[in-house]
Amino acid sequence: MTNHRLICKNGLISRHTVEMNLDKIESVDVDQSALGRIFGFGTVTIRGVGTTIDPIRGIADPVGLRQAVFAAP
């Protein structure tokens, strides 16, 4: 995450990259299981204007990521 956009890169051998401007993000959904809440990991789904980033699984501190997206200038 930069101060202008969110970049999601998935894959070890083959790479899938999605970029979205922060001003185009409408919502950030966070899903955490009971273990995820205890150990601080979860799944984040970002919905933007006209697009949705695939769920990003295994994110450390997903609530902190959501707060950072909406706190960005």
Side-chain angles (χ1 to χ4, degrees):
M1 184 171 151
T2 68
N3 59 346
H4 295 288
R5 60 189 171 159
L6 181 73
I7 303 167
C8 176
K9 295 181 180 181
N10 292 323
L12 184 62
I13 296 173
S14 64
R15 177 68 51 131
H16 177 71
T17 303
V18 178
E19 298 181 17
M20 184 179 293
N21 290 334
L22 290 178
D23 60 347
K24 302 293 183 190
I25 294 176
E26 293 178 340
S27 68
V28 179
D29 300 331
V30 175
D31 294 317
Q32 284 185 298
S33 64
L35 284 176
R37 288 182 55 105
I38 292 169
F39 294 111
F41 69 91
T43 300
V44 175
T45 304
I46 299 168
R47 300 183 196 286
V49 177
T51 185
T52 300
I53 292 182
D54 295 331
I56 308 166
R57 292 170 178 46
I59 295 293
D61 191 20
V63 175
L65 175 65
R66 179 179 62 199
Q67 292 171 348
V69 166
F70 292 118

